[in-house]
Amino acid sequence: MEHAGPAGGVPADQPRRDDQRQQADRRRHPALKDPKVRTALHYAIDKQKLVDEVQGGLAKPADGSIIPPLYKDFFWEASGAEKVTFDLAKANKILDDAGYKKGPDGVRTMPDGSRKLQFRFSIHTDTPIEDKLAEYLTGWFKEIGITLTTKRLDSSKFTEETGTTALFDIAISGWSVNPDPEEVLGTHLCSRRPTASGQGGGTESFYCDPQYESLYLQQQKELDRTKRADIVKKMEERLYTDAPVIALYYPNDLEGYRKDRIASITPIPEDKGLLYGGSGYWPFYTLEAVSKDGATAESGGMSGGVIAGIAAAVVVVLIGGFFVLRRRQGAADERE
């Protein structure tokens, strides 16, 4: 909890937060504001290899949507020329054509020569799999002339740096998604960025895009589910092509239950839905229990709070820009 300072309720730690904000502005890497750089990063990631060697094959490569495939109405996937595939030669060409030249050390610089493409890379200390992701990404990005310096942070510090102080360039994160994707879509709004004094927040990429913002407002007002889903897919396509976040894969949740206790369960959604915690407004639709005499007894879905399933592992790219005053209470807490 923050303590109010003397001048009309200004937080006592505001000077420190303002210093952090100014420090973030000075250190934020300008290259990541260039969509060509973000696109090159996307082409430099072999998602299938990450699925095979980091997830042991227990995931699906993410070729688009930040909403997982189990929510079929809202899921979107790139295809054809729009689909980004692993191609280091293409990633290098994009950067070459954009004027980011490699120096004698193999590291690229800004077109004006002002800074090298050396990015701060934040991961969680308590998530060992992120160390493996960092190893692969560091190697691939080196192949295109970009250096990553890995920072390992505990969950609270990670949330602070990626949601408030912006003292990072690239980070590994993951999304949870409710049956209605409103919250995960809202994470990328201009209004989710903290104020200049460090208040509010609930973002990670600090993304602010008028086109995305307009689509978000449209889907809020659309009552026809099919039409709304079409708008949501346009939002996902915008995130995919502009790449403030790059979805890596959709992990599989491995679950089991005792057949001597439970005869069958209908999950939510019915096709490949999660059981533990659930991914809907109830843990499951139906449960058929095994009685003591071997017969079955059917039970309806149990009521309970929503605990959403994992949508994707993602690379978050710090875009930067101005902070605004509005916020949605507790957004950052809902993600961590």
Side-chain angles (χ1 to χ4, degrees):
M1 174 178 282
E2 293 178 342
H3 298 281
V10 177
D13 62 350
Q14 181 169 322
R16 180 183 65 83
R17 287 176 180 263
D18 285 343
D19 289 344
Q20 288 178 323
R21 176 67 178 91
Q22 291 166 8
Q23 182 184 6
D25 284 340
R26 289 193 298 268
R27 295 182 63 190
R28 181 176 296 122
H29 206 296
L32 292 174
K33 293 183 179 181
D34 186 347
K36 292 179 181 177
V37 172
R38 304 195 299 269
T39 299
L41 293 176
H42 200 169
Y43 274 104
I45 300 173
D46 187 342
K47 298 177 184 178
Q48 186 61 58
K49 193 175 189 70
L50 294 180
V51 167
D52 294 340
E53 300 188 11
V54 176
Q55 286 289 328
L58 300 174
K60 170 182 167 58
D63 293 316
S65 179
I66 62 170
I67 299 170
L70 61 88
Y71 297 123
K72 294 180 179 179
D73 289 351
F74 298 108
F75 178 68
W76 175 84
E77 196 167 45
S79 60
E82 188 177 37
K83 184 176 177 179
V84 176
T85 57
F86 179 58
D87 191 334
L88 291 175
K90 186 166 186 175
N92 272 302
K93 187 176 188 309
I94 290 171
L95 294 172
D96 288 340
D97 292 347
Y100 297 90
K101 297 180 180 179
K102 287 184 179 179
D105 59 357
V107 180
R108 294 183 185 273
T109 61
M110 295 289 294
D112 61 4
S114 59
R115 289 179 68 174
K116 290 186 176 184
L117 268 60
Q118 297 173 323
F119 301 145
R120 298 161 296 173
F121 183 45
S122 297
I123 64 175
H124 293 84
T125 56
D126 55 355
T127 311
I129 202 168
E130 293 185 9
D131 282 307
K132 295 181 181 179
L133 291 172
E135 182 180 345
Y136 280 101
L137 293 173
T138 299
W140 289 326
F141 290 176
K142 183 179 180 180
E143 292 291 322
I144 63 171
I146 292 175
T147 300
L148 296 183
T149 301
T150 301
K151 295 170 56 181
R152 292 169 176 81
L153 306 169
D154 61 37
S155 291
S156 61
K157 191 66 175 177
F158 185 94
T159 300
E160 177 186 336
E161 291 203 359
T162 60
T164 304
T165 60
L167 295 175
F168 79 106
D169 293 313
I170 299 176
I172 291 290
S173 189
W175 303 118
S176 294
V177 181
N178 292 329
D180 188 290
E182 181 82 14
E183 175 60 28
V184 73
L185 296 173
T187 304
H188 304 288
L189 296 175
C190 304
S191 56
R192 286 302 182 88
R193 297 177 301 172
T195 65
S197 62
Q199 301 299 301
T203 182
E204 279 184 348
S205 64
F206 292 78
Y207 188 56
C208 183
D209 174 65
Q211 181 179 334
Y212 183 85
E213 202 90 0
S214 175
L215 290 168
Y216 181 85
L217 294 175
Q218 289 177 41
Q219 65 84 29
Q220 272 192 321
K221 295 183 288 187
E222 182 55 67
L223 300 180
D224 183 288
R225 183 176 177 85
T226 301
K227 292 180 180 178
R228 182 187 174 219
D230 289 339
I231 299 171
V232 167
K233 291 174 183 178
K234 290 179 182 178
M235 295 175 69
E236 296 176 275
E237 182 178 3
R238 179 62 179 164
L239 289 178
Y240 184 79
T241 56
D242 210 25
V245 293
I246 300 170
L248 299 177
Y249 49 71
Y250 311 109
N252 295 345
D253 263 16
L254 302 181
E255 301 177 307
Y257 58 86
R258 291 181 55 169
K259 288 190 174 182
D260 62 330
R261 300 289 183 87
I262 300 171
S264 65
I265 300 178
T266 306
I268 301 175
E270 292 184 53
D271 182 22
K272 299 180 180 179
L274 301 179
L275 301 178
Y276 180 75
S279 50
Y281 300 110
W282 304 274
F284 41 79
Y285 283 124
T286 63
L287 180 148
E288 193 174 22
V290 177
S291 65
K292 290 183 178 180
D293 60 4
T296 60
E298 189 172 335
S299 171
M302 296 170 59
S303 61
V306 176
I307 304 176
I310 294 297
V314 297
V315 170
V316 183
V317 181
L318 179 61
I319 302 299
F322 297 98
F323 293 85
V324 295
L325 296 175
R326 298 188 307 275
R327 71 172 291 197
R328 186 171 298 184
Q329 184 73 27
D333 293 338
E334 290 172 14
R335 283 205 321 281
E336 288 288 19

